[in-house]
Amino acid sequence: MGLELFEKMNFVSTTSDHASVVSINMFIAILCVCIVVGHLLEESRWMNESITALVIGLCTGVVILLISGGKSSHLLVFSEDLFFIYLLPPIIFNAGFQVKKKQFFRNFMTIMLFGAVGTLISFVIISLGAISIFQKMDLHPLKIGDYLAIGAIFAATDSVCTLQVLNQDETPLLYSLVFGEGVVNDATSVVLFNAVQNFDLSHISTGVGFQLIGNFLYLFISSTILGVVAGLLSAFIIKKLYFGRHSTDREVALMMLMAYLSYMLAELFDLSAILTVFFCGIVMSHYTWHNVTESSRTTTKHAFATLSFICEIFIFVYVGMDALDIEKWRIVSDSPKTSVIVSSILLGLVLVGRAAFVFPLSFLSNLTKKSPEEKIDFKQQVTIWWAGLMRGAVSMALAYNQFTRAGYTQLRGNSIMITSTISVVLFSTVVFGLMTKPLVRCLLPSRKHLSRMISSEPVTPKSFIVPLLNGQDSEADLDSHIITRPTSLRMLLTTPSHTVHYYWRKFDNAFMRPVFGGRGFVPYVPGSPTEENERQWQ
């Protein structure tokens, strides 16, 4: 009897393993199809990789749904752990690693204004709108914590469609603002989401509000510090131990593992892992990347970009498949009108919530700018507003985390929120995404005006050696900056960008690069002409 039971269990396990292998093979094949189709559509740029993967995922979901007799539409069951632990880290790290730091830090205050303060404003508006409207619709069993979670879920933007149309060499200001705000926005949304989940919201008071803000600031600052420390530690280890003397593989492996370690440490300490790994990527690109051998630089640059690309495609393919999950739609099938109304309200709240901070904060940002070319004109503000209307993978992952267990839910209110999130993601990604290119063409300045805004940074991989804040300024330029004492409030607002850059360059050259390496550091090889170069860094 025991032997028969063991054989049956072994057969079930073998069958299950075989089914998993088949599913994984099919999913990998679909990813390959997405890459090929994306390449064929490269010239038009109307269908970017995100939309292509989403549409292919939808088509695949239809086929699986027909083959399974309406039982399932996807090959894999969605897991928040799969998304947050394995898929998201390469995407965010590569964003920090590849960012043009000169433009990012030149507009750092505006980016933080949009990404942090703007996300808070959007979160408040969407949450209040959800509370005032959805409570009247009796979406049982949603509670106050769910409505606040909805604010965090739909405050998370996905500006990938706009970024694929914008050119960071032709419109460096817009690209840096949209890119930087998108990353900071994702981190802020996740921090808000975690803060909402960790507090007892049964009795909301002023004290709870201050606690939320305090917790948010603590997570934001602590996560950033952890990412910077991890990046500096990797730079120091590689600079001192010279892994490249024996194996470039060790250099690449250490960079990857240190970046992932920073992400997992943030998860372990309940910090914002997104923010941690993003700033770890920035620090690694400024210090660590220059300490490795030339072959390792090429390898890491393309390896990080490739991993990020695959993870993005994986996410959008799965979102497309899961959009047709019959179980979720069956629960809300008795009230399709309610589902459509909820989706429309959420989309409207997204539009209003984003407009509520883009235009006012742009006005505030322009007050601190002295040069007209540094100011954000109305057409650029509309482009920034549009860039953040798309909702994507982060919104989906947060919605699954809040309203499902292991990818499934049997509660009507939760099912409505999941299906509504799917509807908003599909509509915003496909419809808004397809309209992005003509809108950007219509709104962006003419080529003559763009020629004055062209970035001085090269398009080649040499842009990776741009220092953190000073771009390609020569060392002689350090003394050419005249620091004037602000004589008015307006001067105080308009001069900090120059003084901060100047003092950062002095500090970086005097203290940071001699310890952690960076541009100008050549890995030491015993007996080589670079030995003298290394001595001057000691």
Side-chain angles (χ1 to χ4, degrees):
M1 181 67 180
L3 182 60
E4 292 178 358
L5 179 62
F6 175 79
E7 290 177 350
K8 288 181 179 179
M9 291 176 62
N10 188 51
F11 174 75
V12 171
S13 175
T14 304
T15 305
S16 177
D17 291 342
H18 179 72
S20 299
V21 171
V22 172
S23 298
I24 293 173
N25 273 279
M26 293 178 64
F27 206 95
I28 294 174
I30 293 169
L31 294 180
C32 294
V33 171
C34 289
I35 294 173
V36 173
V37 174
H39 170 74
L40 296 176
L41 297 174
E42 178 71 21
E43 294 300 323
S44 71
R45 301 305 295 169
W46 285 79
M47 291 283 287
N48 58 62
E49 281 85 359
S50 302
I51 300 177
T52 301
L54 203 58
V55 172
I56 290 177
L58 281 169
C59 296
T60 306
V62 172
V63 173
I64 297 174
L65 202 62
L66 294 174
I67 294 175
S68 65
K71 294 181 180 179
S72 177
S73 64
H74 42 65
L75 298 169
L76 304 172
V77 176
F78 185 87
S79 168
E80 302 92 59
D81 290 340
L82 172 66
F83 176 79
F84 282 107
I85 302 300
Y86 301 108
L87 299 179
L88 193 58
I91 297 174
I92 303 300
F93 175 78
N94 185 66
F97 193 78
Q98 305 277 14
V99 67
K100 285 193 172 183
K101 296 178 288 296
K102 177 182 177 181
Q103 285 296 331
F104 180 84
F105 284 98
R106 174 179 290 172
N107 302 293
F108 184 75
M109 294 308 299
T110 304
I111 288 171
M112 294 303 296
L113 199 64
F114 285 159
V117 179
T119 304
L120 282 170
I121 295 173
S122 181
F123 163 75
V124 170
I125 290 177
I126 295 174
S127 298
L128 292 177
I131 292 172
S132 60
I133 297 175
F134 293 155
Q135 279 188 336
K136 299 176 181 178
M137 299 177 64
D138 191 27
L139 297 178
H140 186 75
L142 298 185
K143 301 177 182 178
I144 187 67
D146 294 317
Y147 295 125
L148 293 177
I150 289 171
I153 290 168
F154 289 96
T157 66
D158 184 8
S159 53
V160 64
C161 294
T162 308
L163 287 176
Q164 289 176 351
V165 175
L166 291 176
N167 188 309
Q168 63 177 329
D169 294 299
E170 292 182 349
T171 56
L173 173 63
L174 269 183
Y175 190 94
S176 64
L177 289 179
V178 172
F179 172 83
E181 188 235 333
V183 176
V184 177
N185 168 277
D186 286 345
T188 306
S189 299
V190 175
V191 169
L192 284 171
F193 184 81
N194 292 334
V196 168
Q197 285 191 324
N198 293 333
F199 276 91
D200 180 15
L201 301 170
S202 56
H203 300 90
I204 293 185
S205 63
T206 306
V208 173
F210 281 114
Q211 276 187 304
L212 281 171
I213 295 174
N215 189 49
F216 168 77
L217 292 175
Y218 162 74
L219 289 175
F220 209 91
I221 296 172
S222 302
S223 303
T224 301
I225 293 175
L226 178 59
V228 171
V229 169
L232 291 177
L233 182 61
S234 69
F236 183 80
I237 291 174
I238 289 180
K239 178 177 181 294
K240 289 298 180 182
L241 300 182
Y242 313 113
F243 287 88
R245 284 182 298 176
H246 305 297
S247 172
T248 58
D249 296 337
R250 292 193 181 101
E251 291 181 319
V252 178
L254 187 65
M255 287 184 68
M256 289 184 173
L257 292 176
M258 286 293 290
Y260 193 64
L261 178 63
S262 72
Y263 186 91
M264 296 307 298
L265 283 175
E267 287 286 339
L268 179 64
F269 297 133
D270 294 324
L271 301 177
S272 172
I274 292 178
L275 207 60
T276 296
V277 79
F278 175 68
F279 277 97
C280 180
I282 290 179
V283 173
M284 276 194 175
S285 68
H286 183 59
Y287 295 109
T288 313
W289 191 78
H290 295 280
N291 296 345
V292 300
T293 59
E294 191 65 34
S295 59
S296 293
R297 295 179 190 178
T298 304
T299 302
T300 52
K301 174 190 170 186
H302 293 291
F304 295 146
T306 302
L307 285 173
S308 172
F309 177 69
I310 293 174
C311 290
E312 286 181 1
I313 294 179
F314 186 102
I315 291 169
F316 278 99
V317 167
Y318 186 85
V319 169
M321 289 184 182
D322 197 65
L324 300 174
D325 183 26
I326 201 67
E327 293 297 328
K328 300 182 182 68
W329 292 103
R330 183 180 290 124
I331 297 174
V332 301
S333 61
D334 60 333
S335 53
K337 182 179 178 181
T338 302
S339 185
V340 172
I341 292 174
V342 171
S343 301
S344 302
I345 291 172
L346 289 172
L347 198 59
L349 289 174
V350 167
L351 293 168
V352 174
R354 182 146 185 91
F357 77 82
V358 168
F359 299 104
L361 294 184
S362 296
F363 174 77
L364 291 177
S365 176
N366 288 340
L367 292 179
T368 67
K369 306 295 183 182
K370 185 165 58 176
S371 170
E373 293 184 356
E374 293 179 349
K375 294 186 177 182
I376 311 171
D377 60 37
F378 181 73
K379 290 183 178 180
Q380 291 174 327
Q381 292 176 29
V382 173
T383 305
I384 294 171
W385 169 73
W386 183 270
L389 294 179
M390 273 72 82
R391 293 297 177 267
V394 174
S395 294
M396 286 291 299
L398 295 180
Y400 274 105
N401 186 289
Q402 181 70 21
F403 298 110
T404 69
R405 294 294 179 271
Y408 298 102
T409 180
Q410 298 296 324
L411 302 175
R412 179 176 176 274
N414 289 359
S415 294
I416 288 177
M417 292 315 306
I418 288 292
T419 53
S420 298
T421 303
I422 292 172
S423 300
V424 171
V425 169
L426 289 177
F427 183 87
S428 62
T429 302
V430 176
V431 178
F432 292 164
L434 289 175
M435 294 171 61
T436 296
K437 186 173 184 177
L439 182 73
V440 170
R441 279 182 171 178
C442 178
L443 292 177
L444 286 185
S446 62
R447 294 289 300 181
K448 290 182 180 179
H449 181 64
L450 283 176
S451 63
R452 299 198 304 269
M453 299 171 60
I454 296 281
S455 172
S456 62
E457 297 171 86
V459 187
T460 65
K462 291 181 181 179
S463 62
F464 273 78
I465 65 174
V466 176
L468 188 59
L469 290 175
N470 62 322
Q472 295 181 349
D473 297 340
S474 64
E475 298 297 327
D477 291 339
L478 293 176
D479 300 324
S480 66
H481 292 276
I482 300 176
I483 309 303
T484 59
R485 182 181 299 276
T487 58
S488 67
L489 178 62
R490 184 169 186 82
M491 284 189 66
L492 185 64
L493 292 174
T494 55
T495 55
S497 61
H498 301 290
T499 58
V500 170
H501 291 183
Y502 173 82
Y503 285 116
W504 164 254
R505 287 196 296 269
K506 297 282 285 184
F507 177 77
D508 191 33
N509 290 332
F511 300 102
M512 299 299 289
R513 287 199 283 173
V515 177
F516 300 105
R519 190 181 69 153
F521 171 72
V522 180
Y524 166 78
V525 178
S528 72
T530 63
E531 184 173 356
E532 184 63 30
N533 176 276
E534 169 56 22
R535 285 201 190 99
Q536 69 184 3
W537 285 98
Q538 298 299 327

